[in-house]
Amino acid sequence: MNWLSNLARPGLKKSKPEEEKRETPDNLWIKCPTTGDLIFRSDLEASNWVTPAGFHMRIGPDTRFRQMFDNGRWTLVPLPKVPTDPLKFRDDKKYSDRLKAYRAKLNRDDCMSAAYGAVNGQRAVLLVQDFDFMGGSLGMAAGEAFITAAQTAVKRKCGMVCFTASGGARMQEGILSLMQMPRTTLAIQELRESRLPYIVVLTDPTTGGVTASYAMLGDVHIAEPGALIGFAGPRVIEQTIRQKLPEGFQRSEYLLDKGMVDMVVDRRQLKDVVSQILSILTPAAAAASAEPENDEAQPQPEAEAKPASRSGAKRAAQDKKKPQQKAAE
Amino acid sequence: MRTYLDFEKSIAEIEAKIEELQALAESSDALEMGVELSRLKTKSERMLQDIYAKLDPWQKTAVARHPERPRFRDFVASLVTDFVELSGDRTYGEDPAVLGGLGKFLGRPSVLLGHEKGRTTAERLKHNFGMARPEGYRKAVRLMDMADTFQLPVISFVDTAGAYPGIGAEERGQAEAIARSTERCLTLGVPMVSVITGEGGSGGALAIAAANAVMMLEHAVYSVISPEAGASILFKDSGRAKDMAHAMKITAQDLIGLKVIDSIIKEPLGGAHRAPERAISTVGAAVAQALDGLKDLSPDALRAQRRERFYAIGRLENDAA
């Protein structure tokens, strides 16, 4: 603001502090997006990436699994392969190249990860959508993952919990991404037919075709505090009605007020709330086959734990700067 | 006065000439004029044929949005007798962007649903240009519930740019309304046939198109997002909508290969708007045929058929070849 800060010292390049942080994924201190306070990294990890001010940072599948499953033990559900780039889509980059880059960066085929295990003793399949993978956009891989997760839950006679985080449909897959809306909806019917609970945990952000399908069809809807949840993205609405949107519009608390979610739950209480619901909605099925499958859950190797939390830090640091990707209606 | 699209300029010129000659021929009886007239008519027809045989996706989008294209009300007026329009979602309000009711579709008692864009400016405003709010989809659910109760097939006509993105729509749960409507289509124990007649815009279209049989008019388009909106997101330039229309594969001819639609309904030469009555009766015949093919299936078989149909889309084993 003052003249001093505008003055670039010779030989030194001006750089934005956020960008600097982005390049140091291992940094010890992480800035709270709301207060700007610096938080010790291990403190953040201990509080499941919720800052002292209550801001819920975005987390990926590994961090989520570790938080939700008992003793950090879970079994990954293998997800089916899908055709790559059937439309041969390109914008300024080829979609297949874009995919390759994300796969290399996140060491995962697409945005969904599914795992089976126990949540406070309640067996469940958890499906986690990673916003870092192309904005968590819903394409064929995500749709197929959803179907597989639901069918795994049916096979194992347990509930399914889906953690949503997505800008919406993956436009690079055109109509095939739209078709994931009825496809995932059909998978939910399989759970319903087997009388198995389907719980949705809406995390920041959940918009577009994801909200307009499986995110809004849960038996119970839980939202993490402050998450952006809506059909049309705020930018699209602003452009359509040419009006500034009210404060708090499309945030979790707003959706609670409007009757679209059952509760807004702090991440640190999430495990208890989810297991409570599961225990009431799946008593018969859970009792039927609780024991034999327990030993299938493998402890996750330590090696996997580290990059996961690192990506959590990076994610958190990038949160403010990251453009909202691919909001499709 | 006919509305001509950008790429129809040459046809507009010839047709203007034809009209002029026709007016002249009425006042004088020159034989020559008759010869010239029929020559011009053949020529314009050939031009139409040429242009419409190779419409690109962006041109098709323009045809699909043509202001004179048959609308829900036109289809109902020609194909449905004893139509009783039903209104309201019984929860909040009435949304004229989605219309529905009971009637006899070519003699078959049915539930009809469809987007209505309206034609005159007043109508368009009233129907919100066919962009539905949650109440429209909740009305659709209500009508599908009735169809299940009274064992009536559901026929839907899809023509929307998309669901309306507004504060009120969000407030009242646009996403939930769309999700529930899609779900209701899929759980129906009665046959459902959908026709994409113009624009199939994203979730707002799909919400009433998750059917046993999905058909598309020859020049209709169906896409995950409008080319303009898609271009503004991916290219950061809504002016590149044409490129987006090409890249997204939105035409009936593309979508049949992807198994997203089951059949293409041929349009009269030069698009449905040039001979609406003919277009409508072709649609009627195609829908009737689809309904007849589904009428002996049990409720469970109908649900299973829908499940298989949608699960098969994009599956790897189908792409093996």
Side-chain angles (χ1 to χ4, degrees):
Chain A
M1 274 299 148
N2 63 33
W3 65 273
L4 239 177
S5 59
N6 288 328
L7 187 81
R9 273 195 252 155
L12 281 178
K13 251 196 272 170
K14 268 177 96 180
S15 61
K16 291 187 194 118
E18 284 95 341
E19 274 168 14
E20 260 172 39
K21 214 172 282 160
R22 216 185 278 196
E23 264 119 60
T24 39
D26 264 323
N27 66 346
L28 218 54
W29 296 91
I30 288 149
K31 202 172 178 178
C32 172
T34 42
T35 62
D37 291 345
L38 289 176
I39 309 154
F40 204 43
R41 189 198 156 86
S42 58
D43 288 348
L44 255 185
E45 273 172 357
S47 65
N48 291 311
W49 298 94
V50 180
T51 69
F55 183 86
H56 282 56
M57 293 185 152
R58 286 175 189 158
I59 57 174
D62 297 310
T63 315
R64 186 69 76 177
F65 290 153
R66 198 166 320 107
Q67 183 215 335
M68 294 296 293
F69 285 122
D70 297 345
N71 311 316
R73 286 159 67 100
W74 65 85
T75 313
L76 285 176
V77 175
L79 301 175
K81 290 247 176 270
V82 296
T84 305
D85 192 13
L87 304 187
K88 304 269 170 284
F89 190 98
R90 78 173 296 155
D91 36 75
D92 36 320
K93 225 192 206 174
K94 271 203 234 156
Y95 169 48
S96 53
D97 289 344
R98 228 177 256 279
L99 262 181
K100 249 181 246 159
Y102 276 104
R103 285 175 178 165
K105 189 177 140 206
L106 294 168
N107 195 24
R108 193 178 304 126
D109 268 358
D110 212 284
C111 68
M112 289 282 202
S113 289
Y116 167 78
V119 181
N120 285 337
Q122 299 296 319
R123 299 175 315 108
V125 169
L126 266 53
L127 182 66
V128 180
Q129 200 160 11
D130 188 357
F131 189 75
D132 266 6
F133 196 107
M134 281 190 92
S137 54
L138 172 62
M140 290 187 290
E144 209 61 51
F146 191 97
I147 296 171
T148 303
Q151 289 176 342
T152 305
V154 169
K155 223 179 341 185
R156 293 189 178 263
K157 298 194 181 63
C158 66
M160 169 158 141
V161 187
C162 180
F163 296 79
T164 61
S166 176
R170 186 170 293 174
M171 285 175 291
Q172 292 88 343
E173 291 183 12
I175 196 86
L176 293 169
S177 69
L178 187 73
M179 289 298 122
Q180 304 315 314
M181 292 170 67
R183 294 179 94 240
T184 52
T185 304
L186 283 163
I188 295 166
Q189 305 314 309
E190 294 197 45
L191 288 164
R192 295 216 208 292
E193 283 161 18
S194 304
R195 298 188 190 284
L196 294 166
Y198 167 53
I199 300 172
V200 183
V201 180
L202 297 118
T203 78
D204 186 60
T206 300
T207 59
V210 170
T211 322
S213 58
Y214 58 88
M216 278 290 143
L217 292 172
D219 297 305
V220 179
H221 294 168
I222 303 172
E224 284 195 338
L228 176 79
I229 304 163
F231 173 61
R235 221 172 1 130
V236 176
I237 301 175
E238 269 179 350
Q239 279 166 5
T240 310
I241 61 172
R242 292 170 205 291
Q243 234 177 284
K244 262 268 177 240
L245 296 172
E247 183 78 22
F249 179 67
Q250 291 183 320
R251 296 287 164 180
S252 300
E253 298 71 17
Y254 172 93
L255 268 89
L256 179 68
D257 184 49
K258 300 298 172 196
M260 286 301 138
V261 299
D262 292 286
M263 57 194 111
V264 178
V265 176
D266 188 295
R267 191 179 290 159
R268 291 161 292 189
Q269 274 87 57
L270 203 53
K271 181 173 176 175
D272 291 342
V273 173
V274 166
S275 65
Q276 245 174 342
I277 297 167
L278 288 172
S279 77
I280 293 163
L281 295 181
T282 41
S289 55
E291 276 142 54
E293 275 138 347
N294 257 357
D295 49 341
E296 280 175 45
Q298 301 293 321
Q300 291 299 298
E302 263 310 296
E304 232 178 90
K306 270 205 167 162
S309 39
R310 207 179 295 145
S311 92
K314 209 161 63 180
R315 194 185 314 258
Q318 288 174 3
D319 254 11
K320 265 174 77 184
K321 292 228 79 183
K322 193 173 293 173
Q324 292 258 317
Q325 276 183 63
K326 290 148 226 92
E329 41 188 83
Chain B
M1 244 319 255
R2 168 160 287 150
T3 309
Y4 290 96
L5 301 168
D6 278 354
F7 53 87
E8 293 180 324
K9 280 217 179 79
S10 53
I11 291 164
E13 278 163 23
I14 290 201
E15 286 189 350
K17 224 182 264 173
I18 291 173
E19 233 169 82
E20 214 175 284
L21 275 178
Q22 242 155 4
L24 270 174
E26 270 162 35
S27 52
S28 66
D29 53 354
L31 209 86
E32 253 170 74
M33 249 177 242
V35 177
E36 175 67 1
L37 209 56
S38 71
R39 191 188 67 83
L40 281 176
K41 275 183 181 162
T42 324
K43 190 177 169 197
S44 86
E45 207 162 287
R46 200 172 313 125
M47 281 168 76
L48 262 183
Q49 226 149 24
D50 284 352
I51 291 174
Y52 272 76
K54 41 181 184 249
L55 287 181
D56 69 32
W58 185 232
Q59 291 171 326
K60 283 206 189 242
T61 307
V63 178
R65 292 171 177 170
H66 198 286
E68 284 143 37
R69 207 165 164 82
R71 301 272 187 255
F72 177 76
R73 287 215 189 280
D74 304 319
F75 286 105
V76 168
S78 302
L79 300 172
V80 181
T81 50
D82 295 329
F83 183 65
V84 182
E85 192 177 328
L86 302 175
S87 315
D89 69 348
R90 299 295 186 270
T91 306
Y92 180 84
E94 155 68 0
D95 181 0
V98 174
L99 299 181
L102 309 168
K104 296 189 183 111
F105 182 90
L106 297 175
R108 299 157 179 80
S110 311
V111 165
L112 291 310
L113 279 175
H115 302 98
E116 174 62 57
K117 286 183 172 174
R119 189 152 285 128
T120 63
T121 306
E123 279 171 6
R124 283 165 168 265
L125 286 171
K126 179 184 163 208
H127 295 286
N128 198 30
F129 305 88
M131 291 188 287
R133 297 182 168 92
E135 296 72 47
Y137 298 112
R138 293 191 177 123
K139 173 164 69 176
V141 170
R142 200 190 124 221
L143 264 60
M144 287 190 270
D145 286 343
M146 275 181 81
D148 239 350
T149 307
F150 296 97
Q151 301 280 288
L152 301 171
V154 178
I155 304 157
S156 70
F157 297 89
V158 177
D159 187 16
T160 181
Y164 185 68
I167 291 183
E170 291 291 321
E171 198 170 54
R172 300 191 299 276
Q174 183 73 293
E176 196 262 359
I178 291 170
R180 291 283 169 205
S181 185
T182 309
E183 182 181 46
R184 197 62 191 95
C185 295
L186 294 166
T187 55
L188 278 174
V190 293
M192 178 167 184
V193 174
S194 296
V195 187
I196 320 284
T197 61
E199 255 184 303
S202 193
L206 171 76
I208 59 166
N212 293 98
V214 183
M215 299 182 273
M216 236 171 125
L217 281 180
E218 189 182 353
H219 304 307
V221 293
Y222 189 13
S223 62
V224 65
I225 190 168
S226 75
E228 290 90 341
S232 96
I233 296 171
L234 284 190
F235 299 126
K236 312 267 176 288
D237 176 8
S238 61
R240 289 182 63 190
K242 183 180 174 177
D243 297 338
M244 194 66 188
H246 279 264
M248 279 198 300
K249 308 276 189 288
I250 60 175
T251 69
Q253 293 70 26
D254 285 324
L255 299 191
I256 197 156
L258 297 170
K259 296 192 172 157
V260 170
I261 59 164
D262 303 290
S263 59
I264 299 174
I265 302 171
K266 218 170 150 36
E267 292 187 30
L269 179 62
H273 57 280
R274 280 177 189 269
E277 275 312 315
R278 233 181 326 134
I280 291 169
S281 73
T282 322
V283 168
V287 171
Q289 198 191 349
L291 283 176
D292 291 345
L294 295 164
K295 74 175 192 302
D296 294 327
L297 296 183
S298 70
D300 281 342
L302 286 165
R303 281 185 282 262
Q305 188 267 4
R306 259 178 241 125
R307 182 171 297 184
E308 277 159 34
R309 182 189 185 282
F310 283 96
Y311 273 178
I313 295 171
R315 277 248 160 107
L316 210 49
E317 56 261 36
N318 296 313
D319 287 50

